[in-house]
Tab-separated table of all heavy atoms in Angstrom:
chain	number	residue	atom	x	y	z
A	109	LEU	N	21.630	11.840	14.940
A	109	LEU	CA	21.593	12.944	14.014
A	109	LEU	C	22.920	13.159	13.328
A	109	LEU	O	22.996	13.377	12.118
A	109	LEU	CB	21.129	14.224	14.693
A	109	LEU	CG	21.032	15.500	13.778
A	109	LEU	CD1	20.043	15.267	12.686
A	109	LEU	CD2	20.674	16.674	14.639
A	112	VAL	N	23.339	10.532	10.645
A	112	VAL	CA	22.596	10.811	9.463
A	112	VAL	C	23.260	11.922	8.597
A	112	VAL	O	23.354	11.766	7.385
A	112	VAL	CB	21.127	11.242	9.843
A	112	VAL	CG1	20.398	11.694	8.581
A	112	VAL	CG2	20.376	10.079	10.463
A	148	LEU	N	15.436	10.897	1.750
A	148	LEU	CA	15.376	10.049	2.935
A	148	LEU	C	16.240	10.603	4.064
A	148	LEU	O	15.823	10.609	5.238
A	148	LEU	CB	15.804	8.627	2.577
A	148	LEU	CG	14.859	7.861	1.626
A	148	LEU	CD1	15.488	6.494	1.270
A	148	LEU	CD2	13.469	7.676	2.222
A	149	PHE	N	17.450	11.069	3.739
A	149	PHE	CA	18.325	11.573	4.775
A	149	PHE	C	17.812	12.915	5.330
A	149	PHE	O	17.881	13.139	6.535
A	149	PHE	CB	19.736	11.767	4.210
A	149	PHE	CG	20.546	10.525	4.105
A	149	PHE	CD1	21.225	10.216	2.929
A	149	PHE	CD2	20.591	9.625	5.171
A	149	PHE	CE1	21.954	9.020	2.847
A	149	PHE	CE2	21.333	8.469	5.074
A	149	PHE	CZ	21.990	8.151	3.910
A	150	LEU	N	17.284	13.728	4.458
A	150	LEU	CA	16.726	15.011	4.931
A	150	LEU	C	15.550	14.749	5.845
A	150	LEU	O	15.465	15.350	6.934
A	150	LEU	CB	16.293	15.859	3.736
A	150	LEU	CG	15.652	17.217	4.043
A	150	LEU	CD1	16.618	18.102	4.901
A	150	LEU	CD2	15.230	17.933	2.782
A	151	GLY	N	14.668	13.842	5.468
A	151	GLY	CA	13.545	13.470	6.348
A	151	GLY	C	14.010	12.863	7.630
A	151	GLY	O	13.462	13.126	8.691
A	152	GLY	N	15.045	11.994	7.527
A	152	GLY	CA	15.537	11.367	8.746
A	152	GLY	C	16.058	12.354	9.742
A	152	GLY	O	15.856	12.244	10.951
A	153	ALA	N	16.826	13.359	9.253
A	153	ALA	CA	17.388	14.354	10.143
A	153	ALA	C	16.256	15.148	10.838
A	153	ALA	O	16.331	15.459	12.052
A	153	ALA	CB	18.282	15.299	9.391
A	154	LEU	N	15.228	15.494	10.119
A	154	LEU	CA	14.108	16.260	10.700
A	154	LEU	C	13.354	15.416	11.739
A	154	LEU	O	12.913	15.983	12.775
A	154	LEU	CB	13.165	16.741	9.596
A	154	LEU	CG	13.757	17.746	8.589
A	154	LEU	CD1	12.775	18.082	7.513
A	154	LEU	CD2	14.205	19.006	9.322
A	155	VAL	N	13.185	14.122	11.491
A	155	VAL	CA	12.525	13.280	12.483
A	155	VAL	C	13.314	13.249	13.782
A	155	VAL	O	12.719	13.320	14.893
A	155	VAL	CB	12.359	11.846	11.900
A	155	VAL	CG1	11.914	10.869	12.995
A	155	VAL	CG2	11.317	11.802	10.778
A	156	LEU	N	14.603	13.141	13.688
A	156	LEU	CA	15.425	13.077	14.893
A	156	LEU	C	15.385	14.421	15.664
A	156	LEU	O	15.382	14.411	16.904
A	156	LEU	CB	16.886	12.741	14.533
A	156	LEU	CG	17.091	11.300	14.042
A	156	LEU	CD1	18.470	11.120	13.474
A	156	LEU	CD2	16.875	10.305	15.177
A	157	LEU	N	15.326	15.511	14.981
A	157	LEU	CA	15.173	16.801	15.663
A	157	LEU	C	13.825	16.884	16.349
A	157	LEU	O	13.742	17.411	17.463
A	157	LEU	CB	15.365	17.939	14.641
A	157	LEU	CG	16.762	18.191	14.163
A	157	LEU	CD1	16.781	19.220	13.005
A	157	LEU	CD2	17.633	18.705	15.348
A	158	LEU	N	12.759	16.372	15.723
A	158	LEU	CA	11.435	16.356	16.382
A	158	LEU	C	11.447	15.488	17.631
A	158	LEU	O	10.885	15.866	18.662
A	158	LEU	CB	10.393	15.850	15.401
A	158	LEU	CG	9.863	16.817	14.321
A	158	LEU	CD1	8.821	16.069	13.465
A	158	LEU	CD2	9.299	18.029	14.898
A	159	SER	N	12.102	14.342	17.501
A	159	SER	CA	12.081	13.404	18.637
A	159	SER	C	12.900	13.927	19.808
A	159	SER	O	12.672	13.472	20.949
A	159	SER	CB	12.641	12.069	18.186
A	159	SER	OG	14.026	12.150	17.837
A	160	LEU	N	13.848	14.819	19.566
A	160	LEU	CA	14.679	15.312	20.660
A	160	LEU	C	13.886	15.955	21.737
A	160	LEU	O	14.231	15.881	22.935
A	160	LEU	CB	15.681	16.318	20.062
A	160	LEU	CG	16.800	16.892	20.968
A	160	LEU	CD1	17.641	15.747	21.520
A	160	LEU	CD2	17.590	17.953	20.262
A	178	PHE	N	14.633	3.694	14.615
A	178	PHE	CA	14.409	4.608	13.496
A	178	PHE	C	15.515	4.498	12.462
A	178	PHE	O	15.230	4.488	11.234
A	178	PHE	CB	14.329	6.053	13.997
A	178	PHE	CG	14.371	7.056	12.882
A	178	PHE	CD1	13.303	7.230	12.020
A	178	PHE	CD2	15.548	7.797	12.651
A	178	PHE	CE1	13.394	8.145	10.951
A	178	PHE	CE2	15.608	8.703	11.616
A	178	PHE	CZ	14.524	8.904	10.794
A	308	PRO	N	6.650	12.313	16.266
A	308	PRO	CA	7.761	12.125	15.336
A	308	PRO	C	7.584	10.862	14.449
A	308	PRO	O	7.985	10.881	13.295
A	308	PRO	CB	8.952	11.989	16.259
A	308	PRO	CG	8.580	12.657	17.512
A	308	PRO	CD	7.109	12.380	17.679
A	311	ALA	N	5.065	11.731	11.742
A	311	ALA	CA	5.753	12.513	10.682
A	311	ALA	C	6.602	11.579	9.811
A	311	ALA	O	6.636	11.754	8.579
A	311	ALA	CB	6.622	13.610	11.298
A	315	VAL	N	5.834	10.882	5.700
A	315	VAL	CA	6.762	11.436	4.753
A	315	VAL	C	7.841	10.444	4.316
A	315	VAL	O	7.853	10.007	3.145
A	315	VAL	CB	7.425	12.732	5.308
A	315	VAL	CG1	8.396	13.271	4.274
A	315	VAL	CG2	6.408	13.770	5.665
A	316	VAL	N	8.671	9.986	5.243
A	316	VAL	CA	9.791	9.162	4.907
A	316	VAL	C	9.318	7.763	4.442
A	316	VAL	O	9.754	7.257	3.409
A	316	VAL	CB	10.769	9.014	6.084
A	316	VAL	CG1	11.949	8.143	5.699
A	316	VAL	CG2	11.274	10.408	6.532
A	413	LEU	N	7.707	16.816	1.986
A	413	LEU	CA	8.562	16.616	3.146
A	413	LEU	C	8.676	17.902	3.959
A	413	LEU	O	8.549	17.890	5.184
A	413	LEU	CB	9.910	16.093	2.681
A	413	LEU	CG	11.002	15.760	3.704
A	413	LEU	CD1	11.875	14.681	3.139
A	413	LEU	CD2	11.855	16.968	4.085
A	414	LEU	N	8.973	19.000	3.275
A	414	LEU	CA	9.149	20.256	3.967
A	414	LEU	C	7.917	20.791	4.630
A	414	LEU	O	7.913	21.089	5.862
A	414	LEU	CB	9.686	21.301	3.008
A	414	LEU	CG	11.088	21.026	2.430
A	414	LEU	CD1	11.389	22.010	1.238
A	414	LEU	CD2	12.158	21.162	3.500
A	417	PHE	N	6.541	18.140	7.516
A	417	PHE	CA	7.315	18.150	8.744
A	417	PHE	C	7.170	19.423	9.515
A	417	PHE	O	7.146	19.425	10.763
A	417	PHE	CB	8.803	17.931	8.402
A	417	PHE	CG	9.231	16.502	8.469
A	417	PHE	CD1	9.677	15.852	7.326
A	417	PHE	CD2	9.179	15.775	9.655
A	417	PHE	CE1	10.057	14.522	7.337
A	417	PHE	CE2	9.545	14.441	9.677
A	417	PHE	CZ	9.999	13.797	8.532
A	418	GLY	N	7.087	20.549	8.828
A	418	GLY	CA	6.848	21.794	9.540
A	418	GLY	C	5.533	21.821	10.273
A	418	GLY	O	5.456	22.291	11.403
A	421	ALA	N	5.795	19.616	13.345
A	421	ALA	CA	6.622	20.207	14.369
A	421	ALA	C	5.799	21.175	15.216
A	421	ALA	O	5.890	21.178	16.469
A	421	ALA	CB	7.834	20.877	13.759
A	526	GLY	N	15.335	22.319	18.903
A	526	GLY	CA	15.144	21.385	17.781
A	526	GLY	C	13.988	21.736	16.912
A	526	GLY	O	14.005	21.670	15.688
A	527	ILE	N	12.885	22.154	17.574
A	527	ILE	CA	11.702	22.572	16.828
A	527	ILE	C	11.931	23.822	16.024
A	527	ILE	O	11.480	23.984	14.895
A	527	ILE	CB	10.522	22.806	17.805
A	527	ILE	CG1	10.205	21.497	18.586
A	527	ILE	CG2	9.273	23.286	17.075
A	527	ILE	CD1	9.770	20.358	17.707
A	529	VAL	N	14.754	24.720	14.703
A	529	VAL	CA	15.531	24.388	13.537
A	529	VAL	C	14.634	23.713	12.452
A	529	VAL	O	14.736	24.038	11.258
A	529	VAL	CB	16.670	23.404	13.929
A	529	VAL	CG1	17.356	22.861	12.682
A	529	VAL	CG2	17.686	24.090	14.840
A	530	VAL	N	13.769	22.780	12.875
A	530	VAL	CA	12.872	22.113	11.944
A	530	VAL	C	11.968	23.119	11.242
A	530	VAL	O	11.849	23.105	9.990
A	530	VAL	CB	12.047	21.062	12.642
A	530	VAL	CG1	10.994	20.487	11.724
A	530	VAL	CG2	12.956	19.926	13.130
A	531	VAL	N	11.330	23.988	12.032
A	531	VAL	CA	10.403	24.956	11.451
A	531	VAL	C	11.088	25.924	10.524
A	531	VAL	O	10.615	26.244	9.440
A	531	VAL	CB	9.599	25.709	12.574
A	531	VAL	CG1	8.786	26.848	12.004
A	531	VAL	CG2	8.750	24.712	13.333
A	533	VAL	N	13.994	25.511	8.848
A	533	VAL	CA	14.435	24.813	7.641
A	533	VAL	C	13.275	24.584	6.727
A	533	VAL	O	13.330	24.847	5.477
A	533	VAL	CB	15.140	23.524	7.974
A	533	VAL	CG1	15.374	22.682	6.766
A	533	VAL	CG2	16.496	23.791	8.657
A	534	CYS	N	12.163	24.067	7.288
A	534	CYS	CA	11.004	23.753	6.454
A	534	CYS	C	10.365	25.004	5.831
A	534	CYS	O	9.973	24.993	4.660
A	534	CYS	CB	9.999	22.961	7.285
A	534	CYS	SG	10.545	21.341	7.755
Side-chain angles (χ1 to χ4, degrees):
L109 179 61
V112 171
L148 295 175
F149 282 133
L150 179 58
L154 295 177
V155 169
L156 290 170
L157 286 171
L158 283 180
S159 67
L160 184 63
F178 168 72
V315 180
V316 180
L413 182 150
L414 294 170
F417 266 117
I527 300 298
V529 173
V530 171
V531 172
V533 169
C534 292

